[in-house]
Amino acid sequence: MRTLDHNFTVYIDESGEPGVAQIRGEQTPGASPYFALGAVVCIESAEVMVRNLLSEFKQTIRKKSWKHATELKHAEKVLFARQMSTLPQRYFCVISNKSTLGGYKDFIDADAHKFYNKCAKYLLECVCSYLGTKGVRQESVNVVFEERNHDYDALRRYLTIVRDKPIYPQSRSLKLLNPFSISTRRKGEEDMLEFADFVAYSAFQCTNKSQSNYFIPEPRYFKELSRNLAANSNGSPLGVGLKCIHSLKDLQLDKDVEDLFLGIQAKKPTGNFERFQVT
């Protein structure tokens, strides 16, 4: 495979809370039972078009200051998700059901930062594995996280250890990553994070059950943008652009949502995102 001279940026955001010490129940407070991380991978030459679409969307809905998916109405979210499915980007997400953490929760002393870092590792393994099949070089990949109250230096050190001494085969893909090139930006400083926010939000809404939504998850947004999930040659994103920790069964999803995940047919590798691919 020929090495490609294209630059990529990976934008990452989360939905739900990473806290694992106290999990919210129907009658008890705490962090969300599920946690999702979303990533948008965009080739540098396409960012102008992508940013223009975001600007046009904000003009259409007359919300120029919109930064978070929660600020949008249902119809606006559907429209944005549908527009996102037309862009030359690939989307990745990781979803964790905290009730399945088992002994890992005790192993990390219920530390939310360590849980977040673990989920970020899973997400970056998926991204790097996918880009690695395209002949992308390490110096061509930049990673931008939404800035939050988190120790990103600890994340960088953790990723370096996993990359340099991988225990599991999937961690070998992190050779594509330079952890100390990871940067952070606040919402408002980087428009592209709004796409990552929406990917994470859409995935999280497939799991979210609360009194405010009558305990009925909303998979519509995820379904609309799912065509742009990274996928295998058969179009299935499971294990590629959609990482279920540690399995789809472990997520304990409602039947209709599980069927959606199983039936997604993403764009084949001849889609717009791979127009640079050497065949």
Side-chain angles (χ1 to χ4, degrees):
M1 178 182 295
R2 184 161 68 90
T3 299
L4 302 180
D5 294 321
H6 296 273
N7 293 323
F8 298 83
T9 305
V10 184
Y11 299 95
I12 298 175
D13 204 347
E14 79 275 352
S15 191
E17 301 90 35
V20 294
Q22 180 67 41
I23 307 302
R24 183 168 62 245
E26 290 188 18
Q27 304 297 329
T28 57
S32 57
Y34 289 83
F35 180 68
L37 277 175
V40 170
V41 179
C42 190
I43 189 171
E44 186 179 73
S45 58
E47 283 204 9
V48 172
M49 178 177 63
V50 173
R51 293 176 191 274
N52 285 343
L53 180 139
L54 180 61
S55 178
E56 292 170 4
F57 172 74
K58 289 183 177 181
Q59 291 176 14
T60 298
I61 65 173
R62 299 180 181 180
K63 290 182 180 178
K64 294 183 179 180
S65 62
W66 166 70
K67 297 176 184 177
H68 299 275
T70 53
E71 300 172 35
L72 301 177
K73 298 178 182 178
H74 171 72
E76 294 168 342
K77 295 172 188 175
V78 173
L79 173 61
F80 190 52
R82 185 166 294 183
Q83 291 179 340
M84 284 178 63
S85 73
T86 69
L87 293 172
Q89 303 184 122
R90 281 298 187 193
Y91 306 137
F92 298 77
C93 57
V94 163
I95 307 175
S96 175
N97 177 4
K98 297 174 188 174
S99 70
T100 64
L101 289 178
Y104 178 71
K105 178 179 175 180
D106 294 330
F107 179 74
I108 62 172
D109 296 321
D111 188 320
H113 294 276
K114 291 181 179 178
F115 173 70
Y116 181 95
N117 289 348
K118 188 77 167 183
C119 291
K121 177 190 80 78
Y122 285 134
L123 182 65
L124 287 167
E125 285 173 347
C126 291
V127 172
C128 290
S129 178
Y130 187 79
L131 290 179
T133 66
K134 310 301 177 187
V136 177
R137 303 176 303 176
Q138 182 187 88
E139 60 268 28
S140 300
V141 180
N142 296 304
V143 178
V144 179
F145 279 81
E146 189 219 359
E147 187 170 321
R148 54 188 296 278
N149 183 22
H150 186 70
D151 186 349
Y152 289 97
D153 283 336
L155 172 61
R156 296 180 184 101
R157 292 192 298 270
Y158 170 64
L159 290 171
T160 299
I161 292 171
V162 174
R163 182 199 62 181
D164 294 346
K165 297 181 179 179
I167 297 176
Y168 302 103
Q170 60 268 28
S171 296
R172 296 171 188 163
S173 67
L174 293 178
K175 64 183 179 182
L176 195 67
L177 177 70
N178 177 4
F180 291 94
S181 70
I182 292 174
S183 60
T184 62
R185 295 287 187 279
R186 293 184 182 277
K187 290 281 178 55
E189 293 180 335
E190 177 49 77
D191 290 344
M192 294 293 293
L193 284 170
E194 294 171 37
F195 290 99
D197 170 83
F198 199 86
V199 172
Y201 174 82
S202 298
F204 181 75
Q205 290 308 309
C206 291
T207 70
N208 187 30
K209 296 181 180 182
S210 65
Q211 291 183 344
S212 63
N213 67 6
Y214 304 101
F215 302 98
I216 302 174
E218 176 52 85
R220 176 69 183 277
Y221 321 127
F222 190 78
K223 180 180 179 180
E224 291 287 348
L225 61 77
S226 64
R227 292 181 65 245
N228 272 40
L229 287 169
N232 62 25
S233 59
N234 293 321
S236 174
L238 288 173
V240 184
L242 174 55
K243 172 74 173 181
C244 304
I245 304 175
H246 289 278
S247 69
L248 180 58
K249 182 179 180 180
D250 281 344
L251 291 188
Q252 301 171 11
L253 301 170
D254 283 7
K255 184 64 165 54
D256 62 322
V257 179
E258 182 175 311
D259 288 344
L260 169 64
F261 283 13
L262 287 170
I264 290 173
Q265 284 295 301
K267 292 177 183 176
K268 296 292 181 66
T270 53
N272 288 336
F273 179 81
E274 287 83 5
R275 65 188 183 279
F276 54 85
Q277 184 179 358
V278 178
T279 58

